[in-house]
Structures are given as C-alpha cells and as structure tokens.
Amino acid sequence: MEFLDRYQQMVATAITKYTFKDKPTELYEPMNYIISHGGKRLRPIMVLMACDLFGGDLEQAVKPALAIEFFHNFTLIHDDIMDEAPLRRNKPTIHTLHGLNVGILSGDGLMLKAYKFFEDLEPEIFKACIRIFTHTGLLLCEGQQYDINFETQENVTFDDYIRMITYKTGVLSASSFEIGALIARANFKDAKAIFNFGKHIGIAFQIMDDYLDVFGDQAQFGKKHAGDIYENKKTVLYLLAREHATEEERKELDYWYSKKTDNIDKVYGVEKIFRRTKVDEKALRLIEKHNEIGQSYLQKINIPEDKKKPFIELANYLLRRES
C-alpha cells in the first residue's frame, strides 16, 4: 500500500538512527537483531497514522512510535521463549541463537529502552502516554497468562478467548492509535474512538493469526506449521471445532489436547476435525465481523471521509494477509 511508504520510511530511518551501540554487545546485538528483521512494523505506523489523522506533528510522534515497536519486540522475544518457538519471521529466534538468559535480558532491555522514547514529550502528554503504555503492558501480561492457563484449562469459553486476545493483541494496536491521537492533542472522544477501532482490528488480526497457523502458506507465515496445535493453544479454531464437532470428534480433540507432543499424528488428527467442521470459513466470518465493528468506531470520528480512507485500507490489507 503506497500510503504506508512514508510512515514505513520514517520508522526505518529512526530504527537505523537509534541502533544500539551500547555495551555489552552480548546484550544489545540480539536487541538489534530482532528489531532489524522488521516485520511489518505496523504498530509504530499506527502511532504515526493517528497523529497524522488529527493534524499532529509527526516528528514528535516518531520516538513514541519506536517505543511501541521496541515494546512489541520485547513481547515477541519472551513469547518465543514461552512457546519454545524456533522461528520468528523466518529467522531463528533469539533464545535459539543465544540461549534463554540472553533472550530474557535482551527482552527486558528493549522494554526499558522503550520507556525512554517518551521522555521528549511535554509533561501532560508524557503522563497520559505513559499511563496508557503501562496499562497496556499489564493487560498484555494478563492476556499472556490467560493464554498459558488455557493450555491446561479444560473449559475455555469463547468469551474467555476474546478477552485473552483482546488483552494479548487488541490493546496494543488500540493503544498505538490512541497514543498517536494524544500526541496530536485529539479530544477524549476521538482518541477513544480510534482506540476502539484499533482494538477490534487487533482482535481480527489475532483471529487471522490463528487461522494462518493452520491454513496459511507456511513459507510466508514464517512460523512452525500448526504450532498452536503442538502447544495445545485453545485458539478460535479449536473452540469452533469443539462447538461443531461430533461427540466422537470432541473426545479425539480432548485426547490430543491432553498431551504436549510433536507427534505428527496429532496435527493430522486435529486438522482433519478442523476441516470437517469448516472452522476456516467460520473464523474468516468472525474476522469480517470485527473489521466491521472497528470501522463503525472510525465513522464516529468527525473528520473528512478521505482522511479515514487509509485506516480502512490498512484494516482490509491486514485481514487479507497471507503471512
């Protein structure tokens, strides 16, 4: 999407400018490693887009945008450790290359560096942004713990799942937009509307992530195929399958999800049930539902429609992705 090019270039330039040159290199080189692999860098772009939407100064938003990117990568490092994931963005994960100790420390370092990138903001805006940023971090930890709990929790409801992905994924997108809006001095009502837009797009994005884990092109997805099945993740696919499975299929799901194993038969067995219950189609409909809810919040903002168009394009792009 061409409209993203300017924002992506601003983020890339800032990342190069603020490459870590600190010592010890054993701590900071892994931090540079994960940041340099980039990914889509969507969350810092969201900060810049929201700042732009409300007529703010993008230069003031660049370092807070980097704070979001650093924080996001901190969560990925620790997430990969907890999931024992060998790959991230088709590259070896930090703990795979450098061990658990370096993975934990470099993640912590990224989080603390993230806080420093808010320091140039005016006191009132700084306080508001830090409050949102810290609350978001706590919710993300809560979401991660719920996700871990679900691996051994027998009765996970659909509402439990939505709460978990809202905390783990939705609020970071939401807060990225809200922080950008606050830097531009948007009013409270508009800042909350763009927050809710981001929250529902983030929920849809995570459902898409669950979908791609099983049904995506793994070469593009850059993660282990069906990693969620190996890890007994109670994703939307699992919950939908249980809802629409036969009694015999539910027993088979219970059997496979009672053990953590790399047995390929587990993946084949679970995928077979997923396909028979058509959870792929059902998940895609849920993605569209949250996209529509998100865009309804966007429409509440009293700004010309042409300025909202990039947000609609971004949402549609994210939810049509293959990786």
Side-chain angles (χ1 to χ4, degrees):
M1 291 180 296
E2 290 182 9
F3 78 89
L4 288 181
D5 290 348
R6 179 170 63 114
Y7 301 124
Q8 286 176 328
Q9 187 56 53
M10 288 183 74
V11 173
T13 299
I15 284 173
T16 300
K17 179 178 178 181
Y18 294 106
T19 296
F20 299 118
K21 300 180 177 66
D22 314 57
K23 303 286 185 183
T25 56
E26 292 82 0
L27 171 67
Y28 288 102
E29 282 184 4
M31 291 160 65
N32 286 328
Y33 171 81
I34 192 166
I35 293 292
S36 68
H37 288 159
K40 297 178 180 66
R41 292 173 175 161
L42 296 171
R43 291 155 192 87
I45 286 171
M46 290 172 179
V47 176
L48 299 177
M49 285 181 68
C51 184
D52 222 0
L53 178 68
F54 296 107
D57 180 355
L58 287 183
E59 289 302 320
Q60 289 183 9
V62 168
K63 288 176 76 173
L66 275 197
I68 295 290
E69 179 68 358
F70 284 13
F71 178 81
H72 174 57
N73 280 277
F74 142 68
T75 68
L76 298 183
I77 294 172
H78 284 195
D79 204 29
D80 288 339
I81 290 171
M82 285 183 261
D83 289 345
E84 299 177 5
L87 293 176
R88 168 71 62 180
R89 300 163 182 158
N90 274 325
K91 303 283 187 182
T93 47
I94 284 177
H95 71 275
T96 302
L97 290 174
H98 302 284
L100 293 177
N101 291 343
V102 171
I104 292 167
L105 282 173
S106 59
D108 292 346
L110 274 176
M111 179 185 67
L112 294 167
K113 286 286 190 179
Y115 271 93
K116 292 184 65 64
F117 277 111
F118 289 103
E119 291 175 352
D120 293 345
L121 295 173
E122 293 177 14
E124 185 180 343
I125 303 298
F126 171 82
K127 186 176 178 180
C129 288
I130 288 294
R131 185 184 69 249
I132 292 164
F133 188 66
T134 302
H135 183 58
T136 297
L138 287 170
L139 287 179
L140 200 144
C141 289
E142 290 175 18
Q144 179 71 354
Q145 186 62 58
Y146 281 127
D147 196 18
I148 292 167
N149 292 353
F150 290 175
E151 292 177 24
T152 53
Q153 185 177 326
E154 287 188 15
N155 299 313
V156 177
T157 68
F158 187 74
D159 287 343
D160 291 335
Y161 166 81
I162 291 295
R163 176 179 61 181
M164 182 272 288
I165 66 168
T166 299
Y167 289 3
K168 189 174 173 182
T169 304
V171 293
L172 188 55
S173 298
S175 298
S176 298
F177 282 126
E178 186 176 17
I179 285 170
L182 290 176
I183 291 169
R185 292 170 174 73
N187 63 49
F188 178 82
K189 183 180 174 184
D190 286 345
K192 282 303 169 190
I194 202 68
F195 173 92
N196 282 311
F197 166 77
K199 181 177 80 171
H200 284 281
I201 297 307
I203 290 169
F205 186 86
Q206 183 58 52
I207 295 173
M208 177 62 84
D209 216 51
D210 292 353
Y211 167 89
L212 290 172
D213 181 72
V214 174
F215 297 105
D217 180 338
Q218 296 309 307
Q220 293 189 46
F221 194 44
K223 295 181 187 176
K224 180 180 179 179
H225 172 65
D228 290 341
I229 295 174
Y230 285 113
E231 295 294 324
N232 295 334
K233 300 280 188 184
K234 304 294 198 312
T235 68
V236 69
L237 303 181
Y238 167 85
L239 293 171
L240 288 169
R242 274 197 65 83
E243 183 182 346
H244 297 280
T246 64
E247 186 61 31
E248 186 179 338
E249 287 169 335
R250 273 194 288 273
K251 286 179 181 176
E252 186 176 351
L253 283 172
D254 290 342
Y255 170 76
W256 286 124
Y257 277 76
S258 69
K259 53 185 68 186
K260 215 171 189 178
T261 172
D262 275 357
N263 186 339
I264 195 68
D265 290 338
K266 174 179 180 176
V267 174
Y268 287 150
V270 172
E271 280 192 16
K272 183 179 174 182
I273 296 170
F274 282 1
R275 293 181 190 281
R276 198 207 64 76
T277 51
K278 298 183 178 178
V279 296
D280 52 337
E281 296 174 12
K282 294 176 174 66
L284 291 173
R285 283 198 291 272
L286 274 172
I287 290 165
E288 188 53 41
K289 172 189 169 184
H290 282 282
N291 187 13
E292 289 172 0
I293 294 171
Q295 294 194 28
S296 73
Y297 280 104
L298 187 64
Q299 295 312 313
K300 294 179 181 180
I301 300 171
N302 187 23
I303 277 176
E305 292 302 308
D306 62 311
K307 287 194 172 185
K308 298 176 186 176
K309 188 178 176 184
F311 291 80
I312 295 169
E313 288 182 24
L314 176 65
N316 291 338
Y317 162 73
L318 292 178
L319 305 180
R320 285 196 303 264
R321 68 198 174 106
E322 296 178 356
S323 62

